[in-house]
Amino acid sequence: MIIGRRAALGALAGLPALAAARRASAQDATTALRDLAQRATVYLFPIYEMYRARWRATVDETNPQRQRLNRFRNVQSPADPEAGVVATQDANTLYSSAWLDLALEPLFLTVPPIGDLDCSYAFIDLFSDTFLLVRPRPKAVGLVTHMLVAPTWAGDAPSDVTLVRAPTPSVWLLGRILVDGPEELDRVRILQNRVLLETPDMRNERRILEIGELMRFRTQAPPEPVADWPAAHPDDPLDLFDIGLRALGESPLPERDRPLFELLAPLKLKPGRKFDRRAFGEPELRAIRAGIAQGHAEIRRAAGRGRTIDGWTYSQPRIGNFGDDYLSRAASALTGLGAPLSAEEVDVSCAVDADRRPLHGAQRYVLTFPADRLPPTRAFWSLSAYEVTPDGRTRFVENPIDRHAIGDRTAGLVRGADGSLSLYIQRDPPPGEHAANWLPAPAGPMRLMLRAHQAGESLIAGGYRVPPVRRNSFP
């Protein structure tokens, strides 16, 4: 077939337009990959943080508090700068932490009578959701036992336990016992040591010794679980995908998340397998890395958002149980992995003063509660000051009086003549009697956290407002 000169010239004339269309199509494809990577980052970030926390607690040989799987580590002193159980720690709480691997066998949590102490045990799945909260009733008698099993476990539970099927085989068990004051520490430590976390054989042997009774079913001791997960490499942006997919390979994907994974199909994310970098060219990988960076930026922005009034940001009602609110889940994982449910505790944070200026330890601040506007709570409230790190995390810092929280159970607080309570947040001690109400501040960027344990309904529902933090100067 002979192509005419006019047709050939027309075809040549169309080549630039075709090339431009191809470039536009390629650009659209990389833009789509970038946007999908951003969404994948928001979704995978909490899983990544749970994996890193689990690795740090059970594998990291440089961790002086390294612990075995399926065993409690009881922190028997209030939180301080060296403590490392949860982010944004509460200095009025003693923590017990255990990382559970249910893939081999069930585990039993048995809590003895607690008297009038206030304690709870939260079961947190791989996605950072609290799927069960065990709160023993004060002054209850007798043991309370929960039997925790993996999603695919098949068997019969003893009649004297409560069966709990975990959403994921990997579970973080986080216990909190509120401490009224230094005089309660010994009593709380005794309770920590009496709470039992047992395998079936351990429970069987204990019951034989105590009451001479065997469990209904015979168990064969499986191998001791060993934490052998590889370390994360946060300096590599794509490590988020590698670790996230590895962790997801251990757990069933929730039905709520399947539509999202279908949407992310162009990224070739397959639970249980490493991210396939070779499936993408360098321009595509650059787009994916850019999307991951955008995802992290979105999480940091979300961590600073919320219902903010007078500089105080109020936590979301769904904290600790996020459903398909992936961004809130990620923001919570950044600032407070393992955050308690609202029914247990309401946290209100502040990063700016009354004039919207960022809080900084170079300044002096005062927070004044009128006599009739103290935080409503059925237990107690406290205020903590944290240093903010460059990546948005928070931590306690050392101070000369070793005080990391101040609140209604702090001894010796001085009230004003009208019954008001003023708290002074600054690096150096305030003069005179004001020093009794001093909360030491870090040297640099700062965040305040007001905690109300068993908060009153007006705080949970949003009716109560914390007064603004104001810059202060003493004569």
Side-chain angles (χ1 to χ4, degrees):
M1 181 176 66
I2 300 175
I3 300 176
R5 181 173 179 275
R6 191 172 292 178
L9 291 174
L12 289 173
L15 287 178
L18 180 60
R22 287 176 176 171
R23 285 195 300 271
S25 177
Q27 186 174 1
D28 290 344
T30 55
T31 299
L33 284 176
R34 183 197 63 201
D35 294 342
L36 289 175
Q38 180 175 348
R39 297 190 66 169
T41 298
V42 171
Y43 176 76
L44 291 173
F45 181 78
I47 300 169
Y48 189 75
E49 289 298 291
M50 287 289 289
Y51 183 99
R52 288 180 64 191
R54 183 178 71 174
W55 182 88
R56 168 69 174 160
T58 61
V59 181
D60 186 1
E61 295 181 355
T62 68
N63 179 9
Q65 283 89 38
R66 183 181 174 192
Q67 62 193 96
R68 293 167 60 190
L69 281 172
N70 300 343
R71 300 290 186 273
F72 269 127
R73 181 170 79 85
N74 293 322
V75 180
Q76 299 198 316
S77 298
D80 59 33
E82 301 302 319
V85 177
V86 296
T88 321
Q89 289 193 333
D90 183 357
N92 299 111
T93 300
L94 292 193
Y95 291 93
S96 297
S97 176
W99 288 93
L100 314 183
D101 184 355
L102 303 173
L104 294 177
E105 60 181 340
L107 288 168
F108 295 85
L109 174 72
T110 301
V111 182
I114 63 170
D116 58 353
L117 291 175
D118 189 331
C119 78
S120 63
Y121 289 84
F123 292 84
I124 305 168
D125 65 20
L126 178 68
F127 301 94
S128 77
D129 276 325
T130 298
F131 63 90
L132 173 69
L133 183 73
V134 174
R135 169 177 277 284
R137 296 193 308 275
K139 303 188 184 302
V141 297
L143 301 177
V144 178
T145 300
H146 290 76
M147 179 180 178
L148 194 68
V149 302
T152 57
W153 181 82
D156 296 321
S159 59
D160 60 340
V161 305
T162 299
L163 179 65
V164 179
R165 193 173 298 276
T168 60
S170 178
V171 171
W172 185 16
L173 173 54
L174 186 57
R176 296 177 173 89
I177 307 179
L178 302 185
V179 182
D180 222 357
E183 67 281 356
E184 265 198 353
L185 277 174
D186 288 341
R187 183 171 164 228
V188 170
R189 289 165 181 159
I190 291 172
L191 175 61
Q192 280 184 312
N193 293 328
R194 291 180 60 207
V195 175
L196 302 177
L197 182 61
E198 301 171 301
T199 65
D201 281 350
M202 292 167 60
R203 184 172 187 263
N204 199 30
E205 291 174 6
R206 175 177 59 81
R207 292 184 63 171
I208 290 173
L209 292 173
E210 290 179 351
I211 60 177
E213 178 184 336
L214 290 174
M215 292 175 64
R216 284 197 309 146
F217 58 90
R218 179 68 176 167
T219 60
Q220 182 176 357
E224 179 78 16
V226 177
D228 60 352
W229 305 290
H233 300 283
D235 292 339
D236 176 9
L238 297 177
D239 189 56
L240 173 72
F241 288 1
D242 287 338
I243 293 296
L245 294 175
R246 176 187 174 90
L248 284 177
E250 303 175 6
S251 304
L253 192 68
E255 285 298 324
R256 66 165 190 246
D257 298 345
R258 293 190 183 279
L260 176 62
F261 251 75
E262 292 173 4
L263 182 69
L264 299 176
L267 290 173
K268 306 183 188 304
L269 302 178
K270 298 179 180 179
R273 299 180 62 178
K274 289 193 69 172
F275 175 61
D276 189 2
R277 307 178 190 213
R278 293 175 299 178
F280 302 95
E282 190 52 42
E284 295 169 318
L285 286 174
R286 282 198 300 270
I288 291 172
R289 291 189 183 96
I292 292 173
Q294 290 177 351
H296 284 299
E298 184 182 11
I299 293 168
R300 288 193 296 270
R301 288 193 300 270
R305 287 202 304 261
R307 189 166 49 92
T308 301
I309 300 169
D310 289 335
W312 289 94
T313 300
Y314 294 77
S315 58
Q316 299 295 326
R318 296 172 69 183
I319 196 78
N321 198 345
F322 302 92
D324 60 359
D325 187 352
Y326 304 122
L327 185 57
S328 292
R329 183 196 311 274
S332 180
L334 175 64
T335 59
L337 191 68
L341 298 170
S342 298
E344 291 298 294
E345 175 182 316
V346 171
D347 298 342
V348 189
S349 65
C350 179
V352 296
D353 63 20
D355 297 314
R356 306 297 297 172
R357 294 171 295 195
L359 298 180
H360 197 282
Q363 304 295 329
R364 298 185 178 97
Y365 301 97
V366 61
L367 172 61
T368 299
F369 296 97
D372 59 349
R373 287 187 58 198
L374 291 171
T377 172
R378 299 187 302 278
F380 68 90
W381 62 268
S382 65
L383 179 74
S384 296
Y386 299 89
E387 178 185 52
V388 180
T389 62
D391 61 356
R393 302 174 196 275
T394 56
R395 64 186 181 193
F396 285 136
V397 294
E398 295 180 357
N399 63 78
I401 61 172
D402 198 29
R403 176 181 284 177
H404 303 290
I406 191 170
D408 61 352
R409 296 192 179 186
T410 303
L413 292 182
V414 177
R415 299 286 191 105
D418 58 356
S420 63
L421 177 64
S422 293
L423 305 178
Y424 303 99
I425 306 111
Q426 53 190 67
R427 287 284 294 163
D428 51 328
E433 66 176 9
H434 301 297
N437 296 9
W438 176 36
L439 177 62
M446 175 172 59
R447 180 177 297 149
L448 300 177
M449 182 76 74
L450 181 85
R451 288 184 171 86
H453 296 274
Q454 298 184 53
E457 185 58 33
S458 63
L459 182 51
I460 295 175
Y464 175 78
R465 299 287 181 261
V466 184
V469 176
R470 302 186 185 280
R471 284 195 182 181
N472 184 51
S473 60
F474 289 100

